[in-house]
Amino acid sequence: MILKELYDFLDSNKEVRGVTTDSRFIKEGYIFLPKHGKNFLGNEFFVEAITKGAIAIVYDEYIPNLVVPLIVVDDLDKELKRLLNLIYRKPFENLKLIGVTGTDGKTSVSTISTYLLNHISKAANIGTNGIFYNNQIYDNLFTTPILCENYRLFTEFNKNNIKYASMEVSSEGIANHRIDNILFDYAIFTNLSHEHLNTHKTMHNYFLTKLKLFKQLKKDGLMIINKDDYYARFFEDFDNVVYYSLFSPSDFQAINIKYYNGYTTFDLKAKDYILKDLKVNRSEEYNIYNIIPPIIIALKEGIDIKLLYELLVDLPIIPGRMEKVPVKYPFDVYIDFAHTPNSLKNVLIEIRKKAQNDVILVFGAAGGKDKSKRPLMGEIALKYADFVIFTSEDPRLEKPTDIINQMLSTTNSNQNNYKVIIDRTEAMIYAFKVAKKNDIILVTGKGRENYFEENNVRINYSDFDHLLDIRI
């Protein structure tokens, strides 16, 4: 498509290769349509966009002296929708698209879904750990990419004959219109607990935001809902829904669950049949929840049952999710992305089952996020770990000491099983120094994230790499 086909008043035969609202994603031949944000107008990024190769800019105000055409429109959102449909068409129509939402478990559910579906046809995955397709992993700036990136990615998937795409759909992504007008074949609800109240203010609003995903299903789309979660009751009026569970009777219930060291066996009871003696290489209750929705989708898509049994025994390790760090010390070290009260509690309960001795927790809370969860997380940490080292975790524009003081605000004055070390690397080194034989050190909050953010500056950083480098 050339530029004058989009704007007939422009006499330009330049090829249009894409459109984006974020200058960080500009490539040669793109149209730049910046939207207004909380802290910027959008026109601050004109020069960057042009330098990177933008061939035109669409904006809602005239700005003089630009070296590329400026198209002024009244409604940026409406124009963006028009451009996306003309440039990319509707690429999601040619995909079996799976959207996974919920407070916890999105990455695991999405990753396992992609793994199983890849054994039926080519599959891709979009989420916190990156963008995966054709056996390659690409960086992802947001859990749920911006709308323009989603259209571009889906188009790329179409070109590569990819049939399935799983994506994590965050509440912030929904609230910021990153999935607008995209239709899904499957929408999965994992759970809902305390998180993002800085954005949504109340749990009710948080749920209503999540619910929007389930109103964006294709005509024959299916909802897959965790019936053990309190919010499952709000899906009862929908027709196209199946429920899964561990404890409540449901369409797909895991029964006869037996946990072992390194694996779990269970039967999956459906309405008309039972898959007996399924064995998965996970030993945590929350991971059984995470495994059932991918199984349901794989069954719906016609996976060979014998193959399914074989795949479940060898599920891939998900980076940053209860991931063991291969250190050569007489204690074990794990990292986990847990950054909500619910996920922190769950991972501590499960790590306790692995521990022969004490559990030492190194953790913090991110700046610029939900402040109301911080005291809850502090209480959970001190209750379920033997010793806690409070430290920094992406403080952004907040003071790390203020964040930690909020986490300790409800602590009993007699509590003495913790220490505060602001520097995250120093906190991990201290954990190594005090750890005894058969202890477990658990570092939470960042998983496999590759950055640390403070004072509006992102630096390259990895918990995993730093832990590997520690020498005592």
Side-chain angles (χ1 to χ4, degrees), residues 229-411:
D229 191 86
Y230 169 83
Y231 287 89
R233 67 191 67 190
F234 298 107
F235 292 91
E236 291 175 355
D237 290 336
F238 292 100
D239 295 325
N240 52 338
V241 56
V242 297
Y243 295 95
Y244 68 98
S245 65
L246 270 60
F247 302 106
S248 309
S250 67
D251 301 298
F252 293 89
Q253 183 182 4
I255 59 174
N256 301 323
I257 304 172
K258 297 178 182 178
Y259 298 98
Y260 300 93
N261 184 19
Y263 69 96
T264 303
T265 63
F266 64 94
D267 300 335
L268 187 61
K269 181 182 179 183
K271 284 186 175 180
D272 302 320
Y273 60 89
I274 297 179
L275 294 180
K276 297 188 71 67
D277 299 319
L278 291 168
K279 181 180 179 181
V280 297
N281 59 339
R282 297 290 193 273
S283 56
E284 302 83 25
E285 181 182 277
Y286 62 80
N287 266 326
I288 306 306
Y289 278 110
N290 294 337
I291 288 165
I292 298 176
I295 293 175
I296 295 171
I297 293 174
L299 290 170
K300 296 287 184 183
E301 292 300 314
I303 195 169
D304 178 80
I305 299 299
K306 182 180 177 182
L307 176 61
L308 176 63
Y309 272 80
E310 293 172 356
L311 294 174
L312 292 175
V313 178
D314 195 30
L315 294 175
I317 293 172
I318 300 175
R321 273 45 178 192
M322 192 67 91
E323 183 179 8
K324 191 173 184 178
V325 183
V327 299
K328 295 181 179 179
Y329 289 97
F331 48 79
D332 290 333
V333 179
Y334 289 82
I335 60 171
D336 195 273
F337 189 59
H339 62 286
T340 67
N342 183 62
S343 61
L344 182 64
K345 178 181 176 181
N346 285 339
V347 77
L348 281 168
I349 288 172
E350 295 299 338
I351 209 79
R352 170 68 63 194
K353 296 174 184 176
K354 300 177 186 291
Q356 298 180 45
N357 203 357
D358 288 347
V359 173
I360 300 170
L361 174 66
V362 180
F363 93 123
K369 302 289 184 179
D370 184 357
K371 294 182 180 181
S372 65
K373 71 178 181 179
R374 293 172 184 172
L376 297 174
M377 295 183 70
E379 292 172 11
I380 289 167
L382 292 167
K383 178 178 179 180
Y384 290 96
D386 296 291
F387 189 74
V388 181
I389 304 170
F390 290 86
T391 191
S392 294
E393 180 195 312
D394 299 322
R396 297 184 173 86
L397 295 178
E398 293 189 64
K399 292 181 179 179
T401 50
D402 291 345
I403 295 173
I404 293 172
N405 286 338
Q406 290 166 17
M407 298 176 79
L408 290 167
S409 61
T410 59
T411 303

Side-chain angles (χ1 to χ4, degrees), residues 362 389-393 400 404 420-430 452 454 461 466:
V362 180
I389 304 170
F390 290 86
T391 191
S392 294
E393 180 195 312
I404 293 172
V420 175
I421 301 178
I422 299 297
D423 184 278
R424 192 171 180 90
T425 302
E426 290 300 319
M428 293 188 292
I429 291 172
Y430 183 81
F452 187 87
E454 187 169 14
Y461 171 87
H466 275 69

Side-chain angles (χ1 to χ4, degrees), residues 2 15 28 116 149 177 187 289 291 329 349 380 412 437 459 461 466 469:
I2 59 176
E15 181 184 0
E28 188 74 32
L116 295 181
E149 271 298 282
H177 307 287
Y289 278 110
I291 288 165
Y329 289 97
I349 288 172
I380 289 167
N412 189 309
K437 184 177 180 180
I459 61 170
Y461 171 87
H466 275 69
D469 290 341

